[in-house]
Amino acid sequence: MPTPNKAASVAELKDAFQSSNAAVLTEYRGLTVAQLKTLRRSLGENAQYAVVKNTLTKIAANEAGITALDDHFAGPTAVAFVTGDPVESAKALRDFAKENPNLIIKAGVLDGKALSADDIKKLADLESREVLLSKLAGAFKGKQSQTASLLKALPSKFVRTAEALRAKQAEQGGAE
C-alpha cells in the first residue's frame, strides 16, 4: 500500500509530465550540489530540473501515458521538465554536459514521442524557434518582393514591346 507521501509524489510527477512540452532524463552521478544548482540556473525559467526516485517516476510517467522511458529509469536519475522552448533546454543540457562530463543525457520525450540521447543532441543543434520563424518570414518576404517585381515589370515590358512594334510599323509604313 503506497504511503500518502509517495502517492503525492507520483501525482506531482504525473502532473509535471502532462504539463510539460518535453522531459529529458539525465544521470547526475558525480555532480556536486553546486553544479546541480548551476545546471538549474542555466535551464532558465522554462524548465524545472528535479532529482527523482526511479520507481515513483516510472509509475508517474506510465500514468501520464509515457512508456518509452521505462528502460532508462536506472541509476541516479533527474528529469528536466521543459515547459518552454525545448531547443533552448536541450542546448543548456548539452552545453552543461560538455563542461561537466558526469552529466549524462539518457533519453527524453517531446510532445509524447520518445527521443534518444542522440535525438536530444540533434535537437540542441537546431536554432531557436524565434530564429527559425524569422528566417521563414524573411523567405516569405523575399518571395513576395520577387513576385511584386515580376508583376510590376510585366505591364512596362508590354508597353515597351507595343511601342517598339508601333515604331516598326510606322517605319515600314513610311518606307513604302
Side-chain angles (χ1 to χ4, degrees), residues 108-131:
V109 288
L110 175 63
D111 294 328
K113 296 181 183 175
L115 298 174
S116 67
D118 290 334
D119 292 337
I120 294 168
K121 289 175 185 168
K122 288 177 188 174
L123 182 65
D125 291 336
L126 289 176
E127 293 174 330
S128 71
R129 183 176 189 273
E130 289 76 23
V131 171

Side-chain angles (χ1 to χ4, degrees), residues 14-75:
K14 177 184 173 186
D15 184 50
F17 274 113
Q18 290 175 332
S19 64
S20 61
N21 301 339
V24 180
L25 268 60
T26 62
E27 182 177 322
Y28 64 93
R29 184 178 314 191
L31 292 177
T32 65
V33 172
Q35 289 172 322
L36 288 174
K37 190 174 183 179
T38 303
L39 174 58
R40 284 185 176 101
R41 262 191 259 119
S42 71
L43 287 172
E45 297 176 8
N46 295 329
Q48 176 189 2
Y49 191 74
V51 174
V52 295
K53 293 186 182 246
N54 289 329
T55 52
L56 299 179
T57 308
K58 184 176 179 179
I59 292 168
N62 287 334
E63 285 182 8
I66 300 169
T67 58
L69 301 176
D70 287 354
D71 297 337
H72 300 285
F73 291 113

